[in-house]
Every structure is written in structure tokens, then in C-alpha cells.
Amino acid sequence: MSSNKSLDKIISELKERAKELNCLYHIQELLNRTEGINKSILKEIGDAIPPGFQFPDICVVRINANQMEYATSSQFERSSWLLKTDILVQDEIVGFIEVYYTQERPQADEGPFLKEERRLIGNIAERIGLQILHSKLKSVFEEKRKNDQRGDWYAVLEMLKQTDPKLLVRLSRKMVNYLVWIGVEEAVKLMEKFTPLVVSEGGKLSTEVNRPYMKNIGPDVIDLSFEIFDLAEKHVGEKVILDTIQKWTKEDKTDFLVEVMENTGSTLSDISSAIERYHHLLPNILELTGSREMSVKVALIRRLLTTQHDFVEIARDVVTVDSFNSLIHKMIYPPSSHGFLGGKSSGLILASSILDKEYAELGLVNPVKTPKTWYITSDGLLNFMSYNNLQEMLEQKYKEIGRVKQEYPYVLQVFKNSVFSPEITKGLLMALEDLGEVPLIVRSSSLLEDRIGAAFAGKYKSLFIPNHGAKEQRLTALMDAIAEVYASIFGPDAIEYRIANKLLDYHEEMGIMIQEVVGNRVGPYFFPSFAGVAFSRNDYRWSDRINPDDGLVRMVPGLGTRAVDRVSDDYPVMLSPGNPGLKVNVSIEDILKYSPKYMDVINLDDGDFETVEVGSLLKRYGKEFPAVSRVVSVLKENMLQPARPLGMNFHNGTFVVNFDGLINRTDFMNRIKSVLEMLSKAYKGPVDIEFAHDGKDIYLLQCRSQGSRMNCLPAVIPTNVNEDNVLIRSHDYISNGLIQGISHLVYVDPEKYSEIESLEELKRVGVVIGKLNTLLPQRKFILAGPGRWGSRGDIKLGVSVSYSDINNTALLMEVAQEKNGYVPDVSFGTHFFQDLVEADIKYMPLYPHKDKAVFNTKFICDSSNVLKDLIPEADDIDKVIKVIDIRNEYNSYLNIYMNADKKTGLGLIENISD
């Protein structure tokens, strides 16, 4: 019951904030369409104020300004329940605003009034004061202009002399600098008078003296100002003078924005207020010069997005100052926040801005959308931990990795059973109100994530929630998901990754993205028509006719999780955007075998994330499936034809997800190629993106720099080798590289592994691999095993490991045994593959049953197993895992030669003496 009351109170407070903002925006609109303050505008302002207060039905207002007065009720009597503020013009009181309640109401911050209501009438009074000043200045100007024979500029200067002499001095300084810059010689002497130079006693500026210079005493600067503008009239004319005065005056009024941005002590609340004020004063009152606009943009990028130099250099040319106004209204942050949005959020904002700019230059509207998104700043994590006294968790990263793995489930439960501060809770409710009842995904956005050079791909959690039901239930589910994502910062994969990339000691905070899920409701399910990942560079090509810059796309029907995570029981569709006609699978048999059979969806009825069989879903809801003819083909007479929602009987026939309709009858692949090229050009290097398509539009979900590979030159393949010394020879999906001096081979026997019946024992194999990863010489051993390493799903088809279990290996080899009925899906584009790329771990699939392929099982069988020497307690699984010490046993080492152009990977046993 108390929980419901607390929630009702928060919702009530949010509604009050919305009322206050609407009131302020309405009054600003009234002032924008008038030049002065008269009785009519006072009446409209007075009538607009009560709806912004808690109790508008008993609220009356009296406004006095410019010797005029208006009251919303002629019959009310002054009461003791009063809120009053003065209207000031250049520090002079010219009126007031009084707000009365005619009946008693509960005590609040200031009598029955809220502190936010005090701020509201203060803002209204400030805006009225500015309007009166504007009117007064215009009146003085018109009077001077009428009486003086000199140009209009003289009337302006006379007006400023009386009303704002400091502004007059600043304008004069700018004008004399301008005249000097355009080469007016007389202006140099005026500059020396206006801005006294620091000179030596001899009248010259000395660069050798090591003591303070004497300062010249200048003449009266006000009088000198008129002399400067007299000179300006002679050389540039009155029009230029008036234009520059107007421009500089508008610029001068942006000092508040510059001051807030340059003050390192400014909080996000201060910045938000300044940006909002700037937005509402544009375009009539304010103006930013190019240099000032760039300064403010860079400051905003560094304060809200990231301080990373490469990112700032790209972003400053594509974002706008005003674009931050919409952003700040979607941000949730603790009091006195100095947080950032984090890497993933910043990457999406940057990519969207790049595409907006690129398409605008082509005279087109950006066709790539982004989902509605709210952001929690990075210090929201620290606020959460402080509010729940969890600061000791920060020490987790310095613990031994085995202990981190052991304690992580406990850390996870501690976080999920903690609560959020009232300020963050209010923000989350605002987000839910704005997003509505649509499924959401809660995504991590740490300060180190998706940076240029370090992606942290898949290290932190992303969680889907249905976001249906009562508001309290939706809020609870959202907070539970955020807490779980927060906890993932202390997971073993993230910590191991930070160690490997020398980021452990960096201050780590995590922002959060709360993003609507792209898609449509189909029956009880919600999902996009299709989704996937795209890479602008493809280092692993399945055809000689595909160039690296042709890129790579992995697509799946439904949610994109099966495209970015490795799954053991299914396959994505892989295509090259630059050459979509060259497919990985060509024969009908291969297309049927390797097409996606399952899709991830959100079950809105049950509130669960589910994996469903594509065929079953099509039978029930094929006619409702968005853009089904673009995604699915039907097999007829051993030929694939597009599935059509009208007239198609989805209960009969064989349906295949191959995206032929998308490739052949739309410009989707060209569009993806263009997007990748635009982003790569701005990033000055390859990128990878995540996307989703709802059947009508494509949505960009994420963008980051694509991991770069070291040691990517093709190796020279040795010839005339002794075949007895060949351990591996492969010709499929070969990349470039040379690995020398391998001392150990870790081999998981596919047959023995497939015979394990216990899930616990299958997982134990992965645990032992993880221990070997820490015991063997770093980058001096390779891993070879069945199926797909690191897959999720049926781990019987691939060893269950994570990044922290394999990050020290030099090469990961997946051995496909045809007799076991499965062939490993290539790792391209998965988070697991991204780990290999960034860590410079080579990857090689091996198909022993294919012609010219070699896997020297005799060498493996004849070699001793040193597993028990390294891990004595693992002696019971030494039939499954074999560790061969090549150097000690054979006085040899293993060299791996890889050449993509020749489609050859060779593992050669060579004597140390060689």
C-alpha cells in the first residue's frame, strides 16, 4: 500500500513539473509575438499563470508592469497565501507578479507553494523584464534617430550610452579590432588608446624584460567609442555598422551560455537550463558566431558525450548546439550530476548526426531512423551504489578472476535487490510516460564502451522488457533490468577485457539507454521484420570476387540477438552489401540447411523473451508478418519463390528465410552500403552497426569503430614441406597472418565431447579451458575443438566458454566433423568474433572431410597429454581434453601460416633448430 502511495506521489510531482513547463513555454510564445508590454499582453500572461500551479481553481494573479496592472479576478481579496516576485529592468524594480490562493491548502516549501512554483514566476518576471527593456531601448533609439542628423548608428550608441554603457564598450572594442583586421591604419592608434598596450619606459614593447610592464592610461572610453564608429562610417559604411552591431549584440547575450559551458563546476542541471534558455531565445534575440558556436559545441560534446579526442574531432563538424536541446529533455541524472551519456549512447547520437548531415548535403532527408531513446547518465551508477551503500563493489575488479567469477552471482542479486533514489525514480517515470506501453530494451552505455579502439562488444548486458501492465509493474520491471545491467560492469568478461586492454585502472561508470524496441505486434508476439549487424570491412570473404570494402551483413528474422550472439542451433544469413549476389550458400540443399530456423521475439501476453520456430510462427501469423515477401521464400518444385502474404497458404509448403525479396526487389543492400560508407568516411576507418527493420523503415541501433586487426599481412606459405609435419591445412574462410613459436596445443576431442551426457560435465569442459587459459604461456598456445566455441544454446554442439576463458590464446580453431551432422557457423559479425578481432586472436575453421584439408590426428594420438600435470583435478576428463607440450616433447614448435589470397592456412611442426 505504501508503495502505491509513493508511486502516486511521484506521478503527481511529474504532472506538476509538466504543468509548470507548459505554462512557461506558453508565456514565452506570447512574448515572442509582441514587441512591448501592454494591457492586452498582461491579461494573456496573467490568465496563463494559474494553470501552471497546483491548485488553479483557487489561484488568482495580479501583475503590475510599466505602470499598468491586471488581475485575474476583480473581486478577490488579498490573502496571507501569497507568492510574490519583482520585475526588474537593469536592476530597477518596474513591477511585480503576485500569486494568491483564496483558500487554505496544505503546507509545502513556501507556505502552500512549491519551490518549483517560486522558480516559475521568477522566470516569468525575468522574461517580462527583458521585454520591457527591449521596448525601452527601441523607444530611446527611435527618439535619438528622430532628433539627430547623424546616421542611425549614432542613435544606437547614444541609446547604449544611457542604457548599457558596458555593452557599448564591448561593441567598440570589437569594432576597432575589426577595423584593424581589414587594414584601416588609423584604427591602430585608436586601438592603442582603447586597449592600452603594455609598453616599456621607452615606448616600445620589450620581450626581454622579466618584470611586469607599465600600463598606459587611456582616455575616456565612452568618448573614444564614438570616435571609433566615426572612423568606421568612413571606411565600411552605415549598413555594415548596423549589421555588425546587431550581430554582436545578439552574440553578447549568449555570454550566459559560454559562462556555463566553460565553468567546470557547472552541473548537468545548469547546462540543461542554459541550453533551454538559449533554445527559446533563438532566433530573434541570440546569435552565435562561427567561432563561438564551435566553442560551445565542443564544450557540450565534452561535457555530455565524451572527452575522447578522436570522437570530439568528428562530432564537432556534424552536431549542432540546438540539437542538444531535445537531447537534454530525454536525460535522467542525479542531483549535481557531472555525468556523461557513455560510449554506446554517444556512438548512436554521432552516427545519426553524421547521416543527417550527409543526406542533407545530397538534398535528401535521412531515411535511417533511430528509436525513441531515454538516457541515464553515467554517474547514475554511482548514485545507485551510494544510495545502497555498495561502494565496496568497486574493489571487485582487483580480485583474482576466478574469485570474480565465483562472486558475480552474489553481486548480481545484491544489485537486483537494491533500490533507486527518488530523483532517478522520477526520471524513469517520465521516460515511461513518454515511451508509452511499447516493449523496451535496456542497454549498457559505459564510459569505456564502443570507444574508438575499444568496443567492449557484448561484455555488458542488454535486456528486453515487455513494458505492459500497470504503471507500477512497468516501473518495477524497468528498475530491475537497469540494476542487472549495472551489475554486469562487475562481471568476469568485462573485468578480463579491461585487464587485457590495460583499462583496469580507468574510472569506469555506466550510462544506460532505455530504448523502444523496433517492431510490430504479430499475434501475441512483438518483433521487427528483421534485424542484424553490418560491417564496412570484411576480412573473411567466401569468394575471390568480394573485396574487403564490400562489407558484411548478418541478418535474422525477428530481434537481432541471434545475429550478434553465437547460437549453436541456428544460422544467420550472411551477405556482402557491395556484392549481394555472391552468396555463402548456393545450392538448394545448403540454403535449406543453413537458413535461420528460429527467431527471437517478445511474448506480450506472457511478458517473456522467447525463441520460436519460424515455420510455426508463419503457419499461424504468416499473413500478419511485416514485409514477409522480403524475408521469406517458399520452396516449389525444387525452386525458391518469394512468399506473398495475399493468397499464400502458410499452412502448407516449405518456407525458407533467405531475404531474396529484400535483395532482389528493394534498394536495402545499396542503402546499407551507403550508410556504411558515410559513417566510415566520417570515422576515418571501418565501422560496424546494428540495425532493425519494422517492415517499412530501417532503424539504426548502434554504431562503433570496427575492431582493427594487427599482423594482417598475408603469410608466405612454405612449399615442398614434409607432409608428416603438417598438423593443419585448411582452405575455407582463411584470413591473413603469421603465428610463430606455438608451444602448446589444447584439443577438445569432438567424439569424446559428444559422448558426454551430463550438462554439468559439458560446462566443466569450459571451466577447465578457462583454467588452461590462465596457466599456459600467453599467445603461445592454440585451442582446437568441435562446433562453435562460445555459442549459446545447445552446448553439446560447441564448448561453452566466454571471452575471459579464451583471451590468451593465439588461434581458435573450430573442427567440423561431418559424421556428427553439423558444420560450424562462421563467427563473422558476432560479439564473440569481435572479441577475436580486437584481441588479435586468429580464427580458423577446419573441415577435415573436405578435399585437400588436413588435420593430423596421428600427431595428436601419439603425443602425451600434460593436462594432469597442469590441472591435477581434471584427470577424469583427460580423454576429452588433450594438452600437448610441443616444445618439450618434440623439441619443435608450431607455426601457423595464413594467406587469404591463396585460401590457405597451414599449421607446420618445425624443429627449434630450424
Side-chain angles (χ1 to χ4, degrees), residues 73-85:
S73 173
S74 58
Q75 300 178 345
F76 83 94
E77 296 181 2
R78 292 189 180 93
S79 70
S80 57
W81 307 298
L82 167 66
L83 199 62
K84 180 178 179 179
T85 190

Side-chain angles (χ1 to χ4, degrees), residues 841-854:
I841 298 171
K842 303 299 180 184
Y843 167 79
M844 184 188 298
L846 180 66
Y847 304 83
H849 59 279
K850 289 193 174 183
D851 292 340
K852 299 182 181 179
V854 173

Side-chain angles (χ1 to χ4, degrees), residues 49 138 152 162 257 261 271 324 336 475 502 517-518 536 632 681 706 710 733 830 847:
I49 291 177
K138 183 177 181 182
D152 287 345
Q162 296 181 36
L257 183 61
M261 297 311 307
I271 293 172
F324 283 94
S336 303
L475 178 63
K502 297 181 172 56
V517 177
V518 174
S536 58
V632 177
K681 174 186 172 185
Q706 186 176 342
M710 306 298 291
Y733 309 112
T830 65
Y847 304 83

Side-chain angles (χ1 to χ4, degrees), residues 441-628:
I441 179 171
V442 178
R443 313 186 77 186
S444 64
S445 182
S446 81
L447 297 189
L448 299 178
E449 194 171 6
D450 285 3
R451 290 163 58 92
I452 296 175
F456 270 78
K459 301 300 175 295
Y460 303 133
K461 288 193 174 183
S462 293
L463 301 174
F464 291 94
I465 55 175
N467 191 34
H468 273 240
K471 187 170 292 184
E472 185 175 12
Q473 290 177 308
R474 293 163 57 207
L475 178 63
T476 299
L478 176 58
M479 292 191 293
D480 182 69
I482 294 169
E484 187 167 337
V485 174
Y486 275 159
S488 66
I489 204 170
F490 302 106
D493 272 9
I495 291 174
E496 190 76 17
Y497 184 92
R498 293 177 67 183
I499 293 171
N501 287 275
K502 297 181 172 56
L503 296 170
L504 191 64
D505 297 322
Y506 277 69
H507 182 56
E508 173 67 309
E509 295 178 9
M510 178 182 282
I512 294 288
M513 298 172 70
I514 305 168
Q515 198 172 67
E516 66 176 357
V517 177
V518 174
N520 301 278
R521 179 161 189 156
V522 177
Y525 304 122
F526 189 95
F527 56 86
S529 179
F530 60 91
V533 291
F535 293 75
S536 58
R537 182 173 178 83
N538 182 0
D539 287 323
Y540 293 90
R541 292 156 281 154
W542 49 88
S543 169
D544 292 338
R545 293 160 59 194
I546 295 176
N547 296 317
D549 292 336
D550 285 336
L552 170 72
V553 173
R554 290 169 55 98
M555 290 192 297
V556 294
L559 299 171
T561 43
R562 301 178 78 81
V564 298
D565 294 328
R566 289 168 60 84
V567 288
S568 60
D569 56 349
D570 208 7
Y571 305 89
V573 172
M574 292 198 303
L575 298 163
S576 174
N579 218 326
L582 294 175
K583 300 178 181 179
V584 178
N585 302 302
V586 179
S587 69
I588 293 294
E589 180 182 2
D590 284 346
I591 292 172
L592 293 176
K593 183 175 182 180
Y594 297 115
S595 66
K597 307 297 190 303
Y598 299 91
M599 54 188 285
D600 288 341
V601 299
I602 298 172
N603 189 320
L604 297 179
D605 292 347
D606 297 339
D608 290 331
F609 176 89
E610 290 185 12
T611 298
V612 297
E613 204 259 331
V614 174
S616 297
L617 186 141
L618 288 173
K619 284 182 180 180
R620 298 182 63 187
Y621 307 109
K623 294 181 184 295
E624 301 175 40
F625 196 114
V628 67

Side-chain angles (χ1 to χ4, degrees), residues 636-841:
K636 288 185 177 180
E637 298 178 357
N638 209 36
M639 293 183 62
L640 290 171
Q641 301 176 6
R644 303 188 184 281
L646 297 178
M648 179 64 67
N649 183 358
F650 286 97
H651 291 279
N652 297 317
T654 300
F655 294 92
V656 183
V657 176
N658 62 352
F659 297 105
D660 269 4
L662 190 74
I663 299 166
N664 299 325
R665 298 194 303 279
T666 74
D667 66 345
F668 175 79
M669 297 305 289
N670 287 333
R671 182 164 292 177
I672 283 290
K673 178 67 173 168
S674 296
V675 167
L676 290 172
E677 288 175 345
M678 289 176 181
L679 294 174
S680 297
K681 174 186 172 185
Y683 271 73
K684 298 177 182 176
V687 299
D688 75 75
I689 63 173
E690 293 182 20
F691 63 87
H693 201 290
D694 63 0
K696 295 180 180 179
D697 298 302
I698 182 172
Y699 287 79
L700 183 67
L701 308 180
Q702 185 173 320
C703 176
R704 60 178 170 229
S705 264
Q706 186 176 342
S708 59
R709 295 185 64 86
M710 306 298 291
N711 188 21
C712 286
L713 296 175
V716 177
I717 305 296
T719 57
N720 300 321
V721 299
N722 185 342
E723 289 298 317
D724 292 338
N725 293 334
V726 175
L727 177 61
I728 307 159
R729 182 180 280 118
S730 179
H731 301 282
D732 296 282
Y733 309 112
I734 301 300
S735 59
N736 291 321
L738 172 63
I739 312 173
Q740 294 179 299
I742 297 298
S743 62
H744 290 77
L745 166 65
V746 178
Y747 176 63
V748 180
D749 188 293
E751 291 189 21
K752 300 298 182 183
Y753 184 80
S754 66
E755 292 172 1
I756 299 177
E757 297 182 356
S758 165
L759 178 62
E760 183 179 343
E761 285 302 305
L762 287 169
K763 289 183 177 180
R764 186 162 172 254
V765 173
V767 172
V768 172
I769 294 295
K771 290 182 178 180
L772 290 170
N773 182 63
T774 62
L775 294 173
L776 293 174
Q778 187 172 350
R779 293 292 191 270
K780 295 297 181 182
F781 69 96
I782 67 172
L783 294 173
R788 282 156 279 168
W789 291 85
S791 59
R792 68 176 176 90
D794 184 3
I795 67 172
K796 207 171 182 64
L797 301 181
V799 181
S800 177
V801 291
S802 62
Y803 172 79
S804 61
D805 296 318
I806 57 93
N807 67 303
N808 288 327
T809 189
L811 178 139
L812 191 69
M813 187 165 65
E814 296 178 331
V815 182
Q817 300 285 5
E818 186 180 30
K819 65 180 180 181
N820 288 328
Y822 59 87
V823 178
D825 167 32
V826 201
S827 303
F828 306 156
T830 65
H831 284 158
F832 195 81
F833 175 71
Q834 182 79 356
D835 291 338
L836 304 184
V837 170
E838 290 189 358
D840 196 28
I841 298 171

Side-chain angles (χ1 to χ4, degrees), residues 62-93:
R62 187 161 72 110
I63 303 181
N64 182 291
N66 259 9
Q67 300 179 345
M68 293 177 289
E69 188 167 299
Y70 171 75
T72 55
S73 173
S74 58
Q75 300 178 345
F76 83 94
E77 296 181 2
R78 292 189 180 93
S79 70
S80 57
W81 307 298
L82 167 66
L83 199 62
K84 180 178 179 179
T85 190
D86 291 326
I87 298 172
L88 301 177
V89 174
Q90 293 181 305
D91 298 326
E92 178 186 349
I93 298 175

Side-chain angles (χ1 to χ4, degrees), residues 97 138 292 301 325 329 402 404 440 496 530 882:
I97 301 175
K138 183 177 181 182
R292 176 162 287 195
I301 293 165
N325 181 65
H329 287 97
V404 171
L440 302 174
E496 190 76 17
F530 60 91
K882 190 163 190 176

